PDB file of all heavy atoms in Angstrom:
ATOM      1  N   ASP A   1      32.459 -77.723 -56.477  1.00 93.00           N
ATOM      2  CA  ASP A   1      33.266 -78.831 -56.982  1.00 93.00           C
ATOM      3  C   ASP A   1      34.232 -79.348 -55.911  1.00 93.00           C
ATOM      4  O   ASP A   1      34.892 -78.562 -55.213  1.00 93.00           O
ATOM      5  CB  ASP A   1      34.078 -78.390 -58.210  1.00 93.00           C
ATOM      6  CG  ASP A   1      33.199 -78.077 -59.406  1.00 93.00           C
ATOM      7  OD1 ASP A   1      31.988 -78.380 -59.350  1.00 93.00           O
ATOM      8  OD2 ASP A   1      33.724 -77.522 -60.391  1.00 93.00           O
ATOM      9  N   GLY A   2      34.333 -80.655 -55.809  1.00 91.00           N
ATOM     10  CA  GLY A   2      35.338 -81.281 -54.957  1.00 91.00           C
ATOM     11  C   GLY A   2      35.087 -81.207 -53.474  1.00 91.00           C
ATOM     12  O   GLY A   2      35.969 -81.570 -52.677  1.00 91.00           O
ATOM     13  N   LEU A   3      33.917 -80.753 -53.046  1.00 94.00           N
ATOM     14  CA  LEU A   3      33.629 -80.637 -51.615  1.00 94.00           C
ATOM     15  C   LEU A   3      33.136 -81.964 -51.047  1.00 94.00           C
ATOM     16  O   LEU A   3      32.375 -82.684 -51.700  1.00 94.00           O
ATOM     17  CB  LEU A   3      32.564 -79.561 -51.382  1.00 94.00           C
ATOM     18  CG  LEU A   3      32.901 -78.132 -51.832  1.00 94.00           C
ATOM     19  CD1 LEU A   3      31.730 -77.200 -51.525  1.00 94.00           C
ATOM     20  CD2 LEU A   3      34.167 -77.639 -51.148  1.00 94.00           C
ATOM     21  N   ASP A   4      33.569 -82.265 -49.817  1.00 95.00           N
ATOM     22  CA  ASP A   4      32.999 -83.436 -49.156  1.00 95.00           C
ATOM     23  C   ASP A   4      31.616 -83.089 -48.619  1.00 95.00           C
ATOM     24  O   ASP A   4      31.145 -81.947 -48.754  1.00 95.00           O
ATOM     25  CB  ASP A   4      33.917 -83.947 -48.047  1.00 95.00           C
ATOM     26  CG  ASP A   4      34.139 -82.928 -46.918  1.00 95.00           C
ATOM     27  OD1 ASP A   4      33.321 -81.992 -46.778  1.00 95.00           O
ATOM     28  OD2 ASP A   4      35.111 -83.076 -46.166  1.00 95.00           O
ATOM     29  N   ASP A   5      30.942 -84.078 -48.034  1.00 95.00           N
ATOM     30  CA  ASP A   5      29.549 -83.879 -47.620  1.00 95.00           C
ATOM     31  C   ASP A   5      29.382 -82.707 -46.663  1.00 95.00           C
ATOM     32  O   ASP A   5      28.482 -81.868 -46.824  1.00 95.00           O
ATOM     33  CB  ASP A   5      29.005 -85.153 -46.960  1.00 95.00           C
ATOM     34  CG  ASP A   5      28.643 -86.223 -47.971  1.00 95.00           C
ATOM     35  OD1 ASP A   5      28.541 -85.904 -49.177  1.00 95.00           O
ATOM     36  OD2 ASP A   5      28.442 -87.378 -47.557  1.00 95.00           O
ATOM     37  N   GLU A   6      30.213 -82.638 -45.644  1.00 96.00           N
ATOM     38  CA  GLU A   6      30.061 -81.591 -44.639  1.00 96.00           C
ATOM     39  C   GLU A   6      30.296 -80.209 -45.240  1.00 96.00           C
ATOM     40  O   GLU A   6      29.550 -79.253 -44.966  1.00 96.00           O
ATOM     41  CB  GLU A   6      31.006 -81.838 -43.465  1.00 96.00           C
ATOM     42  CG  GLU A   6      30.601 -83.033 -42.604  1.00 96.00           C
ATOM     43  CD  GLU A   6      31.376 -83.094 -41.305  1.00 96.00           C
ATOM     44  OE1 GLU A   6      32.160 -82.154 -41.039  1.00 96.00           O
ATOM     45  OE2 GLU A   6      31.199 -84.070 -40.558  1.00 96.00           O
ATOM     46  N   ALA A   7      31.332 -80.081 -46.066  1.00 96.00           N
ATOM     47  CA  ALA A   7      31.628 -78.794 -46.681  1.00 96.00           C
ATOM     48  C   ALA A   7      30.540 -78.399 -47.677  1.00 96.00           C
ATOM     49  O   ALA A   7      30.144 -77.225 -47.754  1.00 96.00           O
ATOM     50  CB  ALA A   7      32.992 -78.845 -47.371  1.00 96.00           C
ATOM     51  N   LEU A   8      30.037 -79.370 -48.437  1.00 95.00           N
ATOM     52  CA  LEU A   8      28.975 -79.084 -49.395  1.00 95.00           C
ATOM     53  C   LEU A   8      27.712 -78.634 -48.681  1.00 95.00           C
ATOM     54  O   LEU A   8      27.071 -77.646 -49.079  1.00 95.00           O
ATOM     55  CB  LEU A   8      28.686 -80.317 -50.242  1.00 95.00           C
ATOM     56  CG  LEU A   8      27.550 -80.176 -51.262  1.00 95.00           C
ATOM     57  CD1 LEU A   8      27.882 -79.104 -52.289  1.00 95.00           C
ATOM     58  CD2 LEU A   8      27.273 -81.523 -51.935  1.00 95.00           C
ATOM     59  N   ALA A   9      27.345 -79.358 -47.611  1.00 96.00           N
ATOM     60  CA  ALA A   9      26.142 -78.997 -46.855  1.00 96.00           C
ATOM     61  C   ALA A   9      26.270 -77.590 -46.285  1.00 96.00           C
ATOM     62  O   ALA A   9      25.317 -76.797 -46.345  1.00 96.00           O
ATOM     63  CB  ALA A   9      25.900 -80.013 -45.741  1.00 96.00           C
ATOM     64  N   ALA A  10      27.437 -77.262 -45.759  1.00 97.00           N
ATOM     65  CA  ALA A  10      27.640 -75.935 -45.183  1.00 97.00           C
ATOM     66  C   ALA A  10      27.578 -74.853 -46.253  1.00 97.00           C
ATOM     67  O   ALA A  10      26.957 -73.795 -46.053  1.00 97.00           O
ATOM     68  CB  ALA A  10      28.976 -75.881 -44.449  1.00 97.00           C
ATOM     69  N   ARG A  11      28.187 -75.093 -47.414  1.00 96.00           N
ATOM     70  CA  ARG A  11      28.226 -74.085 -48.468  1.00 96.00           C
ATOM     71  C   ARG A  11      26.837 -73.864 -49.073  1.00 96.00           C
ATOM     72  O   ARG A  11      26.427 -72.717 -49.301  1.00 96.00           O
ATOM     73  CB  ARG A  11      29.207 -74.526 -49.555  1.00 96.00           C
ATOM     74  CG  ARG A  11      29.475 -73.475 -50.637  1.00 96.00           C
ATOM     75  CD  ARG A  11      30.361 -72.352 -50.129  1.00 96.00           C
ATOM     76  NE  ARG A  11      31.625 -72.838 -49.652  1.00 96.00           N
ATOM     77  CZ  ARG A  11      32.690 -73.100 -50.433  1.00 96.00           C
ATOM     78  NH1 ARG A  11      32.608 -72.931 -51.743  1.00 96.00           N
ATOM     79  NH2 ARG A  11      33.828 -73.519 -49.905  1.00 96.00           N
ATOM     80  N   VAL A  12      26.116 -74.940 -49.324  1.00 96.00           N
ATOM     81  CA  VAL A  12      24.769 -74.808 -49.880  1.00 96.00           C
ATOM     82  C   VAL A  12      23.838 -74.124 -48.887  1.00 96.00           C
ATOM     83  O   VAL A  12      23.056 -73.241 -49.244  1.00 96.00           O
ATOM     84  CB  VAL A  12      24.215 -76.188 -50.290  1.00 96.00           C
ATOM     85  CG1 VAL A  12      22.714 -76.105 -50.602  1.00 96.00           C
ATOM     86  CG2 VAL A  12      24.968 -76.729 -51.497  1.00 96.00           C
ATOM     87  N   THR A  13      23.941 -74.505 -47.620  1.00 97.00           N
ATOM     88  CA  THR A  13      23.091 -73.894 -46.601  1.00 97.00           C
ATOM     89  C   THR A  13      23.383 -72.409 -46.463  1.00 97.00           C
ATOM     90  O   THR A  13      22.462 -71.595 -46.309  1.00 97.00           O
ATOM     91  CB  THR A  13      23.290 -74.613 -45.248  1.00 97.00           C
ATOM     92  OG1 THR A  13      22.885 -75.977 -45.381  1.00 97.00           O
ATOM     93  CG2 THR A  13      22.473 -73.952 -44.152  1.00 97.00           C
ATOM     94  N   GLU A  14      24.638 -72.035 -46.560  1.00 97.00           N
ATOM     95  CA  GLU A  14      24.993 -70.613 -46.510  1.00 97.00           C
ATOM     96  C   GLU A  14      24.322 -69.849 -47.644  1.00 97.00           C
ATOM     97  O   GLU A  14      23.816 -68.737 -47.463  1.00 97.00           O
ATOM     98  CB  GLU A  14      26.514 -70.467 -46.578  1.00 97.00           C
ATOM     99  CG  GLU A  14      27.015 -69.028 -46.555  1.00 97.00           C
ATOM    100  CD  GLU A  14      27.065 -68.392 -47.937  1.00 97.00           C
ATOM    101  OE1 GLU A  14      27.311 -69.126 -48.917  1.00 97.00           O
ATOM    102  OE2 GLU A  14      26.823 -67.173 -48.048  1.00 97.00           O
ATOM    103  N   CYS A  15      24.281 -70.456 -48.813  1.00 96.00           N
ATOM    104  CA  CYS A  15      23.624 -69.826 -49.953  1.00 96.00           C
ATOM    105  C   CYS A  15      22.115 -69.749 -49.746  1.00 96.00           C
ATOM    106  O   CYS A  15      21.487 -68.726 -50.028  1.00 96.00           O
ATOM    107  CB  CYS A  15      23.945 -70.593 -51.230  1.00 96.00           C
ATOM    108  SG  CYS A  15      23.304 -69.819 -52.735  1.00 96.00           S
ATOM    109  N   PHE A  16      21.540 -70.839 -49.251  1.00 96.00           N
ATOM    110  CA  PHE A  16      20.109 -70.830 -48.920  1.00 96.00           C
ATOM    111  C   PHE A  16      19.775 -69.636 -48.026  1.00 96.00           C
ATOM    112  O   PHE A  16      18.827 -68.888 -48.274  1.00 96.00           O
ATOM    113  CB  PHE A  16      19.723 -72.111 -48.185  1.00 96.00           C
ATOM    114  CG  PHE A  16      19.524 -73.325 -49.053  1.00 96.00           C
ATOM    115  CD1 PHE A  16      19.529 -74.587 -48.476  1.00 96.00           C
ATOM    116  CD2 PHE A  16      19.319 -73.226 -50.415  1.00 96.00           C
ATOM    117  CE1 PHE A  16      19.319 -75.719 -49.245  1.00 96.00           C
ATOM    118  CE2 PHE A  16      19.114 -74.353 -51.195  1.00 96.00           C
ATOM    119  CZ  PHE A  16      19.125 -75.601 -50.610  1.00 96.00           C
ATOM    120  N   HIS A  17      20.537 -69.493 -46.965  1.00 96.00           N
ATOM    121  CA  HIS A  17      20.240 -68.457 -45.976  1.00 96.00           C
ATOM    122  C   HIS A  17      20.491 -67.059 -46.532  1.00 96.00           C
ATOM    123  O   HIS A  17      19.746 -66.116 -46.219  1.00 96.00           O
ATOM    124  CB  HIS A  17      21.070 -68.695 -44.717  1.00 96.00           C
ATOM    125  CG  HIS A  17      20.684 -69.921 -43.964  1.00 96.00           C
ATOM    126  ND1 HIS A  17      21.375 -70.381 -42.867  1.00 96.00           N
ATOM    127  CD2 HIS A  17      19.667 -70.804 -44.151  1.00 96.00           C
ATOM    128  CE1 HIS A  17      20.807 -71.483 -42.414  1.00 96.00           C
ATOM    129  NE2 HIS A  17      19.769 -71.749 -43.188  1.00 96.00           N
ATOM    130  N   ALA A  18      21.523 -66.918 -47.339  1.00 96.00           N
ATOM    131  CA  ALA A  18      21.828 -65.605 -47.904  1.00 96.00           C
ATOM    132  C   ALA A  18      20.696 -65.115 -48.799  1.00 96.00           C
ATOM    133  O   ALA A  18      20.385 -63.918 -48.829  1.00 96.00           O
ATOM    134  CB  ALA A  18      23.131 -65.666 -48.683  1.00 96.00           C
ATOM    135  N   VAL A  19      20.054 -66.025 -49.527  1.00 96.00           N
ATOM    136  CA  VAL A  19      18.997 -65.637 -50.458  1.00 96.00           C
ATOM    137  C   VAL A  19      17.640 -65.545 -49.773  1.00 96.00           C
ATOM    138  O   VAL A  19      16.889 -64.591 -49.970  1.00 96.00           O
ATOM    139  CB  VAL A  19      18.928 -66.629 -51.637  1.00 96.00           C
ATOM    140  CG1 VAL A  19      17.754 -66.289 -52.562  1.00 96.00           C
ATOM    141  CG2 VAL A  19      20.233 -66.624 -52.414  1.00 96.00           C
ATOM    142  N   SER A  20      17.322 -66.547 -48.944  1.00 96.00           N
ATOM    143  CA  SER A  20      15.968 -66.643 -48.382  1.00 96.00           C
ATOM    144  C   SER A  20      15.841 -66.054 -46.987  1.00 96.00           C
ATOM    145  O   SER A  20      14.744 -65.645 -46.579  1.00 96.00           O
ATOM    146  CB  SER A  20      15.522 -68.107 -48.333  1.00 96.00           C
ATOM    147  OG  SER A  20      16.248 -68.823 -47.328  1.00 96.00           O
ATOM    148  N   GLY A  21      16.943 -66.059 -46.210  1.00 95.00           N
ATOM    149  CA  GLY A  21      16.864 -65.667 -44.804  1.00 95.00           C
ATOM    150  C   GLY A  21      16.152 -66.684 -43.939  1.00 95.00           C
ATOM    151  O   GLY A  21      15.915 -66.433 -42.755  1.00 95.00           O
ATOM    152  N   ASP A  22      15.827 -67.843 -44.496  1.00 95.00           N
ATOM    153  CA  ASP A  22      15.041 -68.867 -43.793  1.00 95.00           C
ATOM    154  C   ASP A  22      15.989 -69.885 -43.173  1.00 95.00           C
ATOM    155  O   ASP A  22      16.613 -70.688 -43.866  1.00 95.00           O
ATOM    156  CB  ASP A  22      14.095 -69.552 -44.783  1.00 95.00           C
ATOM    157  CG  ASP A  22      13.072 -70.442 -44.098  1.00 95.00           C
ATOM    158  OD1 ASP A  22      13.394 -71.000 -43.034  1.00 95.00           O
ATOM    159  OD2 ASP A  22      11.958 -70.578 -44.634  1.00 95.00           O
ATOM    160  N   LYS A  23      16.085 -69.875 -41.841  1.00 95.00           N
ATOM    161  CA  LYS A  23      17.043 -70.740 -41.155  1.00 95.00           C
ATOM    162  C   LYS A  23      16.628 -72.213 -41.148  1.00 95.00           C
ATOM    163  O   LYS A  23      17.416 -73.080 -40.770  1.00 95.00           O
ATOM    164  CB  LYS A  23      17.259 -70.236 -39.725  1.00 95.00           C
ATOM    165  CG  LYS A  23      17.891 -68.856 -39.649  1.00 95.00           C
ATOM    166  CD  LYS A  23      18.121 -68.425 -38.224  1.00 95.00           C
ATOM    167  CE  LYS A  23      18.801 -67.068 -38.143  1.00 95.00           C
ATOM    168  NZ  LYS A  23      17.945 -65.976 -38.641  1.00 95.00           N
ATOM    169  N   HIS A  24      15.375 -72.499 -41.519  1.00 96.00           N
ATOM    170  CA  HIS A  24      14.951 -73.887 -41.618  1.00 96.00           C
ATOM    171  C   HIS A  24      15.378 -74.542 -42.936  1.00 96.00           C
ATOM    172  O   HIS A  24      15.408 -75.774 -43.038  1.00 96.00           O
ATOM    173  CB  HIS A  24      13.422 -73.981 -41.509  1.00 96.00           C
ATOM    174  CG  HIS A  24      12.928 -74.071 -40.104  1.00 96.00           C
ATOM    175  ND1 HIS A  24      12.266 -73.040 -39.481  1.00 96.00           N
ATOM    176  CD2 HIS A  24      12.982 -75.070 -39.192  1.00 96.00           C
ATOM    177  CE1 HIS A  24      11.933 -73.396 -38.254  1.00 96.00           C
ATOM    178  NE2 HIS A  24      12.364 -74.626 -38.058  1.00 96.00           N
ATOM    179  N   LEU A  25      15.671 -73.752 -43.953  1.00 97.00           N
ATOM    180  CA  LEU A  25      16.045 -74.280 -45.266  1.00 97.00           C
ATOM    181  C   LEU A  25      17.530 -74.643 -45.231  1.00 97.00           C
ATOM    182  O   LEU A  25      18.397 -73.777 -45.204  1.00 97.00           O
ATOM    183  CB  LEU A  25      15.764 -73.229 -46.342  1.00 97.00           C
ATOM    184  CG  LEU A  25      16.021 -73.634 -47.796  1.00 97.00           C
ATOM    185  CD1 LEU A  25      15.167 -74.821 -48.201  1.00 97.00           C
ATOM    186  CD2 LEU A  25      15.773 -72.444 -48.728  1.00 97.00           C
ATOM    187  N   ARG A  26      17.810 -75.966 -45.272  1.00 97.00           N
ATOM    188  CA  ARG A  26      19.191 -76.414 -45.052  1.00 97.00           C
ATOM    189  C   ARG A  26      19.484 -77.689 -45.846  1.00 97.00           C
ATOM    190  O   ARG A  26      18.586 -78.507 -46.064  1.00 97.00           O
ATOM    191  CB  ARG A  26      19.431 -76.711 -43.566  1.00 97.00           C
ATOM    192  CG  ARG A  26      19.333 -75.520 -42.633  1.00 97.00           C
ATOM    193  CD  ARG A  26      19.301 -75.946 -41.188  1.00 97.00           C
ATOM    194  NE  ARG A  26      18.034 -76.584 -40.856  1.00 97.00           N
ATOM    195  CZ  ARG A  26      17.806 -77.246 -39.713  1.00 97.00           C
ATOM    196  NH1 ARG A  26      18.761 -77.376 -38.813  1.00 97.00           N
ATOM    197  NH2 ARG A  26      16.626 -77.786 -39.483  1.00 97.00           N
ATOM    198  N   LEU A  27      20.721 -77.849 -46.223  1.00 97.00           N
ATOM    199  CA  LEU A  27      21.230 -79.141 -46.677  1.00 97.00           C
ATOM    200  C   LEU A  27      21.995 -79.740 -45.517  1.00 97.00           C
ATOM    201  O   LEU A  27      22.859 -79.080 -44.935  1.00 97.00           O
ATOM    202  CB  LEU A  27      22.134 -78.983 -47.900  1.00 97.00           C
ATOM    203  CG  LEU A  27      22.675 -80.296 -48.492  1.00 97.00           C
ATOM    204  CD1 LEU A  27      21.541 -81.164 -49.028  1.00 97.00           C
ATOM    205  CD2 LEU A  27      23.698 -80.010 -49.591  1.00 97.00           C
ATOM    206  N   LEU A  28      21.688 -80.975 -45.169  1.00 97.00           N
ATOM    207  CA  LEU A  28      22.205 -81.592 -43.952  1.00 97.00           C
ATOM    208  C   LEU A  28      22.879 -82.921 -44.251  1.00 97.00           C
ATOM    209  O   LEU A  28      22.451 -83.665 -45.143  1.00 97.00           O
ATOM    210  CB  LEU A  28      21.063 -81.828 -42.956  1.00 97.00           C
ATOM    211  CG  LEU A  28      20.242 -80.601 -42.550  1.00 97.00           C
ATOM    212  CD1 LEU A  28      18.948 -81.036 -41.889  1.00 97.00           C
ATOM    213  CD2 LEU A  28      21.051 -79.728 -41.611  1.00 97.00           C
ATOM    214  N   VAL A  29      23.898 -83.224 -43.476  1.00 95.00           N
ATOM    215  CA  VAL A  29      24.492 -84.550 -43.502  1.00 95.00           C
ATOM    216  C   VAL A  29      23.593 -85.476 -42.695  1.00 95.00           C
ATOM    217  O   VAL A  29      23.251 -85.176 -41.546  1.00 95.00           O
ATOM    218  CB  VAL A  29      25.916 -84.535 -42.920  1.00 95.00           C
ATOM    219  CG1 VAL A  29      26.501 -85.946 -42.910  1.00 95.00           C
ATOM    220  CG2 VAL A  29      26.811 -83.596 -43.718  1.00 95.00           C
ATOM    221  N   ARG A  30      23.184 -86.574 -43.292  1.00 88.00           N
ATOM    222  CA  ARG A  30      22.275 -87.498 -42.611  1.00 88.00           C
ATOM    223  C   ARG A  30      22.999 -88.185 -41.458  1.00 88.00           C
ATOM    224  O   ARG A  30      24.192 -88.506 -41.527  1.00 88.00           O
ATOM    225  CB  ARG A  30      21.739 -88.555 -43.580  1.00 88.00           C
ATOM    226  CG  ARG A  30      21.012 -87.970 -44.780  1.00 88.00           C
ATOM    227  CD  ARG A  30      20.440 -89.052 -45.651  1.00 88.00           C
ATOM    228  NE  ARG A  30      19.220 -89.604 -45.063  1.00 88.00           N
ATOM    229  CZ  ARG A  30      18.608 -90.707 -45.490  1.00 88.00           C
ATOM    230  NH1 ARG A  30      19.146 -91.400 -46.493  1.00 88.00           N
ATOM    231  NH2 ARG A  30      17.503 -91.119 -44.932  1.00 88.00           N
ATOM    232  N   SER A  31      22.264 -88.420 -40.373  1.00 79.00           N
ATOM    233  CA  SER A  31      22.848 -89.082 -39.210  1.00 79.00           C
ATOM    234  C   SER A  31      23.170 -90.532 -39.544  1.00 79.00           C
ATOM    235  O   SER A  31      22.560 -91.130 -40.433  1.00 79.00           O
ATOM    236  CB  SER A  31      21.873 -89.035 -38.035  1.00 79.00           C
ATOM    237  OG  SER A  31      20.777 -89.910 -38.267  1.00 79.00           O
ATOM    238  N   PRO A  32      24.131 -91.133 -38.838  1.00 72.00           N
ATOM    239  CA  PRO A  32      24.442 -92.543 -39.080  1.00 72.00           C
ATOM    240  C   PRO A  32      23.231 -93.465 -38.932  1.00 72.00           C
ATOM    241  O   PRO A  32      23.100 -94.432 -39.686  1.00 72.00           O
ATOM    242  CB  PRO A  32      25.517 -92.841 -38.023  1.00 72.00           C
ATOM    243  CG  PRO A  32      26.165 -91.520 -37.774  1.00 72.00           C
ATOM    244  CD  PRO A  32      25.061 -90.515 -37.886  1.00 72.00           C
ATOM    245  N   ASP A  33      22.354 -93.176 -37.982  1.00 61.00           N
ATOM    246  CA  ASP A  33      21.163 -94.003 -37.804  1.00 61.00           C
ATOM    247  C   ASP A  33      20.254 -93.933 -39.024  1.00 61.00           C
ATOM    248  O   ASP A  33      19.699 -94.944 -39.458  1.00 61.00           O
ATOM    249  CB  ASP A  33      20.387 -93.558 -36.561  1.00 61.00           C
ATOM    250  CG  ASP A  33      21.102 -93.917 -35.278  1.00 61.00           C
ATOM    251  OD1 ASP A  33      21.960 -94.819 -35.309  1.00 61.00           O
ATOM    252  OD2 ASP A  33      20.803 -93.293 -34.233  1.00 61.00           O
ATOM    253  N   HIS A  34      20.093 -92.736 -39.579  1.00 59.00           N
ATOM    254  CA  HIS A  34      19.249 -92.599 -40.764  1.00 59.00           C
ATOM    255  C   HIS A  34      19.906 -93.227 -41.980  1.00 59.00           C
ATOM    256  O   HIS A  34      19.234 -93.769 -42.853  1.00 59.00           O
ATOM    257  CB  HIS A  34      18.938 -91.133 -41.022  1.00 59.00           C
ATOM    258  CG  HIS A  34      17.906 -90.585 -40.095  1.00 59.00           C
ATOM    259  ND1 HIS A  34      17.668 -89.237 -39.957  1.00 59.00           N
ATOM    260  CD2 HIS A  34      17.036 -91.202 -39.250  1.00 59.00           C
ATOM    261  CE1 HIS A  34      16.700 -89.043 -39.073  1.00 59.00           C
ATOM    262  NE2 HIS A  34      16.315 -90.210 -38.631  1.00 59.00           N
ATOM    263  N   ARG A  35      21.224 -93.171 -42.047  1.00 55.00           N
ATOM    264  CA  ARG A  35      21.918 -93.810 -43.171  1.00 55.00           C
ATOM    265  C   ARG A  35      21.727 -95.322 -43.133  1.00 55.00           C
ATOM    266  O   ARG A  35      21.603 -95.975 -44.164  1.00 55.00           O
ATOM    267  CB  ARG A  35      23.410 -93.498 -43.126  1.00 55.00           C
ATOM    268  CG  ARG A  35      23.762 -92.046 -43.333  1.00 55.00           C
ATOM    269  CD  ARG A  35      25.266 -91.869 -43.337  1.00 55.00           C
ATOM    270  NE  ARG A  35      25.643 -90.497 -43.042  1.00 55.00           N
ATOM    271  CZ  ARG A  35      26.882 -90.063 -43.007  1.00 55.00           C
ATOM    272  NH1 ARG A  35      27.886 -90.901 -43.259  1.00 55.00           N
ATOM    273  NH2 ARG A  35      27.150 -88.799 -42.726  1.00 55.00           N
ATOM    274  N   ALA A  36      21.716 -95.877 -41.915  1.00 55.00           N
ATOM    275  CA  ALA A  36      21.583 -97.324 -41.770  1.00 55.00           C
ATOM    276  C   ALA A  36      20.165 -97.802 -42.024  1.00 55.00           C
ATOM    277  O   ALA A  36      19.946 -98.983 -42.310  1.00 55.00           O
ATOM    278  CB  ALA A  36      22.026 -97.749 -40.363  1.00 55.00           C
ATOM    279  N   ALA A  37      19.195 -96.907 -41.918  1.00 58.00           N
ATOM    280  CA  ALA A  37      17.795 -97.289 -42.114  1.00 58.00           C
ATOM    281  C   ALA A  37      17.519 -97.499 -43.600  1.00 58.00           C
ATOM    282  O   ALA A  37      17.667 -96.585 -44.407  1.00 58.00           O
ATOM    283  CB  ALA A  37      16.878 -96.212 -41.557  1.00 58.00           C
ATOM    284  N   GLY A  38      17.112 -98.704 -43.951  1.00 61.00           N
ATOM    285  CA  GLY A  38      16.891 -99.021 -45.355  1.00 61.00           C
ATOM    286  C   GLY A  38      15.523 -98.657 -45.861  1.00 61.00           C
ATOM    287  O   GLY A  38      15.327 -98.503 -47.068  1.00 61.00           O
ATOM    288  N   THR A  39      14.548 -98.536 -44.989  1.00 70.00           N
ATOM    289  CA  THR A  39      13.174 -98.245 -45.393  1.00 70.00           C
ATOM    290  C   THR A  39      12.636 -97.089 -44.562  1.00 70.00           C
ATOM    291  O   THR A  39      13.181 -96.774 -43.494  1.00 70.00           O
ATOM    292  CB  THR A  39      12.272 -99.466 -45.176  1.00 70.00           C
ATOM    293  OG1 THR A  39      12.157 -99.718 -43.764  1.00 70.00           O
ATOM    294  CG2 THR A  39      12.834-100.698 -45.871  1.00 70.00           C
ATOM    295  N   PRO A  40      11.553 -96.439 -45.008  1.00 73.00           N
ATOM    296  CA  PRO A  40      10.940 -95.382 -44.185  1.00 73.00           C
ATOM    297  C   PRO A  40      10.533 -95.879 -42.803  1.00 73.00           C
ATOM    298  O   PRO A  40      10.658 -95.143 -41.818  1.00 73.00           O
ATOM    299  CB  PRO A  40       9.722 -94.971 -45.018  1.00 73.00           C
ATOM    300  CG  PRO A  40      10.119 -95.262 -46.423  1.00 73.00           C
ATOM    301  CD  PRO A  40      10.950 -96.513 -46.346  1.00 73.00           C
ATOM    302  N   ALA A  41      10.062 -97.109 -42.718  1.00 79.00           N
ATOM    303  CA  ALA A  41       9.676 -97.663 -41.414  1.00 79.00           C
ATOM    304  C   ALA A  41      10.887 -97.796 -40.499  1.00 79.00           C
ATOM    305  O   ALA A  41      10.807 -97.512 -39.297  1.00 79.00           O
ATOM    306  CB  ALA A  41       8.996 -99.023 -41.593  1.00 79.00           C
ATOM    307  N   GLU A  42      12.018 -98.218 -41.063  1.00 77.00           N
ATOM    308  CA  GLU A  42      13.235 -98.333 -40.258  1.00 77.00           C
ATOM    309  C   GLU A  42      13.741 -96.954 -39.835  1.00 77.00           C
ATOM    310  O   GLU A  42      14.240 -96.783 -38.718  1.00 77.00           O
ATOM    311  CB  GLU A  42      14.308 -99.070 -41.055  1.00 77.00           C
ATOM    312  CG  GLU A  42      14.013-100.550 -41.248  1.00 77.00           C
ATOM    313  CD  GLU A  42      14.993-101.224 -42.188  1.00 77.00           C
ATOM    314  OE1 GLU A  42      15.677-100.494 -42.953  1.00 77.00           O
ATOM    315  OE2 GLU A  42      15.077-102.457 -42.158  1.00 77.00           O
ATOM    316  N   ALA A  43      13.598 -95.980 -40.719  1.00 73.00           N
ATOM    317  CA  ALA A  43      13.998 -94.620 -40.361  1.00 73.00           C
ATOM    318  C   ALA A  43      13.130 -94.075 -39.232  1.00 73.00           C
ATOM    319  O   ALA A  43      13.620 -93.425 -38.302  1.00 73.00           O
ATOM    320  CB  ALA A  43      13.907 -93.711 -41.591  1.00 73.00           C
ATOM    321  N   GLU A  44      11.825 -94.343 -39.300  1.00 76.00           N
ATOM    322  CA  GLU A  44      10.915 -93.909 -38.241  1.00 76.00           C
ATOM    323  C   GLU A  44      11.261 -94.584 -36.918  1.00 76.00           C
ATOM    324  O   GLU A  44      11.271 -93.935 -35.863  1.00 76.00           O
ATOM    325  CB  GLU A  44       9.478 -94.244 -38.635  1.00 76.00           C
ATOM    326  CG  GLU A  44       8.427 -93.926 -37.581  1.00 76.00           C
ATOM    327  CD  GLU A  44       8.148 -92.446 -37.419  1.00 76.00           C
ATOM    328  OE1 GLU A  44       8.675 -91.648 -38.216  1.00 76.00           O
ATOM    329  OE2 GLU A  44       7.411 -92.084 -36.490  1.00 76.00           O
ATOM    330  N   ALA A  45      11.581 -95.876 -36.970  1.00 80.00           N
ATOM    331  CA  ALA A  45      11.950 -96.604 -35.745  1.00 80.00           C
ATOM    332  C   ALA A  45      13.236 -96.047 -35.150  1.00 80.00           C
ATOM    333  O   ALA A  45      13.364 -95.906 -33.928  1.00 80.00           O
ATOM    334  CB  ALA A  45      12.099 -98.091 -36.051  1.00 80.00           C
ATOM    335  N   ALA A  46      14.198 -95.704 -36.011  1.00 78.00           N
ATOM    336  CA  ALA A  46      15.459 -95.134 -35.526  1.00 78.00           C
ATOM    337  C   ALA A  46      15.214 -93.772 -34.885  1.00 78.00           C
ATOM    338  O   ALA A  46      15.816 -93.444 -33.843  1.00 78.00           O
ATOM    339  CB  ALA A  46      16.452 -94.995 -36.677  1.00 78.00           C
TER     340      ALA A  46
END
């Protein structure tokens, strides 16, 4: 509750890793370029 994006991503990822041990399983803050991309094609171009 009440966490901003970075804190939420870090807390959820910590839980992911504690349970699974899988370092690829993560909640991530999207990059500004990906946020600006409106379509999958624009995201691929970025």
Side-chain angles (χ1 to χ4, degrees):
D1 293 350
L3 299 180
D4 62 20
D5 283 345
E6 289 191 5
L8 178 62
R11 187 74 58 83
V12 168
T13 298
E14 179 273 328
C15 185
F16 281 163
H17 292 174
V19 176
S20 71
D22 190 329
K23 296 182 178 67
H24 273 109
L25 183 60
R26 295 168 289 169
L27 182 64
L28 303 164
V29 178
R30 302 183 77 191
S31 71
D33 289 339
H34 284 166
R35 294 183 201 181
T39 67
E42 289 173 342
E44 176 73 7

